Amino acid sequence: MKSYIYVDSVSLDDRENYGITYQARKELHKAVRKVLATSAKILRGPFADPFSTVDVEDHECAVWLLLRKSQSGDRAARLQAVQEMSETHHWHDYQYRIIAQACDLRTLIGLARSKESDPRFFLPPPPLPSLKEDSSIEEELRQLLASLPQTELDECIQYFTSLALSESSQSLAAQKGGLWCFGGNGLPYAESFGEVPSATVEMFCLEALVKHSEISTHCDQIEANGGLQLLQRLYQLHKDCPKIQRNIMRIIGNMALNERLHSTIVRSGWVSILAEAMKSRRIMEASHAARTLANLDRETMREKYHDGVYVLHPQYRTSQPIKADVLFIHGLMGAAFKTWRQQDSEQVLTEKILEDEARYTTCWPKTWLARDCPALRIISVEYDTSLSDWRTRCPVERKSIAFRSNELLRKLRAAGVGDRPVIWVSHSMGGLLVKKMLLEASKKPEMSTVINNTRGIIFYSVPHHGSHLAEYSVNIRYLLFPSLEVKELSKDSPALKTLQDDFLEFAKDKNFQVLNFVETLPTYIGSMIKLHVVPVESADLGIGDLIPVDVDHLNICKPKKKDAFLYQRTLQFICETLAKDLEN
């Protein structure tokens, strides 16, 4: 362990060396020698040794004892040391810095995942290397992307990589006075780059890097080529752009799935950034940071959270026993957070949301359900969907419900879903995914725990018998090119009928508890059409209560307030279905 002490230089004038200043410097050096001697004895000596020979104050001993205890060979002792550190709020500034400089990787990550940890435990990230001469962040991002393997990639990764490299080349040419190049994967709105070229191109590059970071060997290449530092520079530069920061966090979270990269991620200073983000009042920012830190925390976590799987509660280490899981699966054009927000109100201003979560929440499962049922692990899943192939994020990525269900099932099993009792909560097409996932899991012996531990399912306006959505659209191009997801929702879809028949028989056999909600009001799609997306007869699974609610399709899963019927009936179902599990 190295320690650095910085003091002012001493004057060479002998007349200045015998006053108060000289005596103060002398005492300071004695104190420094005492601290260094103490640290050497405690950190190098056996933990059980008495400290009678150490000439140090009691409150100083506590710091070094905790530090030594955090490096013990006993896991329980390590966890206790981190907890005691996180609950300490009376130390001097330098004492927190001692821990920050001397603690190991496990302790630092543990402190970052402890809710009450003082921010002084986290040193600022080390200085970033300078950009290459005559270069820019945008150009270095492009070089990082181009350095990654381009062969044996799936079509979607190839698409994002090609798009990012092509458009960044055009942007760079424009910045350097070159001509715009139209054609191939060229920009359909090149003029927009005249105003904000960098942020737009950076977003394309980041989306490509997100896809690459899902491949373990590509993560090694990103790290070896300075990606951790480059992404950190970009993160700090775009503090006012949450979307860019979230994509960067997704990449780091994917890299953290690889334990061999943990030490380099920590050394590059990312834990300090993540610890700060964890305390953000913005639920999306905190949840992305929580996912990354959970993947880094191999001391208390067996689960691994792949891209799109977010734990809403508990996000910190906790002594509260977790007895069951509740999973939220969104539908078409939905997302892990925005689908489950409180119903929008014209009176609620964005800046007020952060001030009073009791008045408005951007994610009611995290804000309301976690408080009402603290013994639950609450997970929300995100995946890309689209109404039309014209609007899909990756035009070559045509994912069926069957494909998505297998992909999500694999990710959820890695997150430990199936190890505890489970309730599934789904909206729209998300309910079809849940049905398909459970049917697929029933065919795989390694997924048997998912079936055995499923207690119940909540369906918010799920089109079990199809939807008129595939027959309507905002304009003619949507009508001509509905996405594969929408086609599978049409009332005459053979796959949908088979799914319904198979699942109904399966659910009855397993005695799953079921609650169905359905909208009664039409939904405005764009400004040209209103549509009753899921009629009452389509939302009837055939088992469980079917409850009509006077809202449209988008708001069927967004309660107006905590005491609204939608939330209270949902909470009642969860508590009753898990009653025995929560008591044990």
Side-chain angles (χ1 to χ4, degrees), residues 409-480:
L409 189 59
R410 174 183 58 82
K411 289 183 176 182
L412 291 174
R413 191 68 195 98
V417 172
D419 295 341
R420 306 181 185 93
V422 183
I423 285 183
W424 306 78
V425 183
S426 59
H427 174 236
S428 190
M429 193 189 81
L432 303 181
L433 277 173
V434 170
K435 290 161 65 175
K436 189 65 176 176
M437 276 192 282
L438 291 174
L439 285 173
E440 290 299 316
S442 69
K443 302 172 185 176
K444 301 175 180 179
E446 68 274 17
M447 296 289 181
S448 60
T449 57
V450 175
I451 302 301
N452 296 335
N453 274 321
T454 292
R455 299 288 189 266
I457 312 167
I458 298 176
F459 295 110
Y460 289 108
S461 283
V462 173
H464 301 293
H465 305 280
S467 169
H468 294 296
L469 186 61
E471 302 163 25
Y472 294 87
S473 189
V474 176
N475 58 40
I476 190 64
R477 65 179 187 177
Y478 282 11
L479 194 62
L480 292 175

Side-chain angles (χ1 to χ4, degrees), residues 192-311:
S192 68
F193 273 104
E195 299 174 8
V196 284
S198 296
T200 309
V201 171
E202 286 162 1
M203 183 59 73
F204 279 116
C205 289
L206 288 173
E207 288 184 346
L209 285 170
V210 167
K211 293 293 183 181
H212 279 278
S213 66
E214 293 175 357
I215 303 173
S216 178
T217 54
H218 291 207
C219 290
D220 295 333
Q221 292 290 320
I222 293 172
E223 185 275 324
N225 294 328
L228 289 170
Q229 291 77 16
L230 181 60
L231 291 171
Q232 190 178 126
R233 185 187 301 277
L234 195 61
Y235 185 92
Q236 302 288 15
L237 185 66
H238 288 288
K239 288 184 177 295
D240 58 342
C241 186
K243 190 173 181 180
I244 284 182
Q245 288 196 328
R246 287 196 298 270
N247 271 338
I248 292 172
M249 204 78 80
R250 287 173 68 191
I251 297 168
I252 304 301
N254 288 345
M255 295 179 70
L257 290 167
N258 305 282
E259 294 185 39
R260 64 186 177 278
L261 296 178
H262 285 187
S263 61
T264 53
I265 292 173
V266 173
R267 286 200 306 271
S268 64
W270 270 104
V271 173
S272 301
I273 296 171
L274 294 167
E276 181 181 0
M278 276 279 281
K279 296 184 183 298
S280 171
R281 299 184 68 180
R282 298 183 183 276
I283 289 175
M284 291 178 69
E285 181 181 358
S287 298
H288 279 274
R291 172 190 167 239
T292 304
L293 284 169
N295 285 338
L296 288 171
D297 186 7
R298 296 300 91 192
E299 181 83 314
T300 64
M301 304 293 293
R302 290 178 303 154
E303 304 87 354
K304 290 191 175 182
Y305 297 100
H306 288 262
D307 189 32
V309 180
Y310 300 100
V311 176

Side-chain angles (χ1 to χ4, degrees), residues 60-76:
E60 299 291 358
C61 264
V63 175
W64 294 104
L65 277 169
L66 279 177
L67 190 57
R68 176 65 180 177
K69 190 175 179 181
S70 72
Q71 299 172 7
S72 166
D74 179 20
R75 177 177 175 273

Side-chain angles (χ1 to χ4, degrees), residues 136 138-139 142 165-182 187 189-198 200-201:
S136 64
E138 177 190 333
E139 194 164 1
R142 181 179 180 276
L165 293 179
S166 171
E167 299 197 356
S168 60
S169 295
Q170 294 174 30
S171 174
L172 290 169
Q175 292 176 45
K176 296 179 180 179
L179 297 175
W180 287 105
C181 173
F182 296 93
L187 297 174
Y189 46 91
E191 293 84 354
S192 68
F193 273 104
E195 299 174 8
V196 284
S198 296
T200 309
V201 171

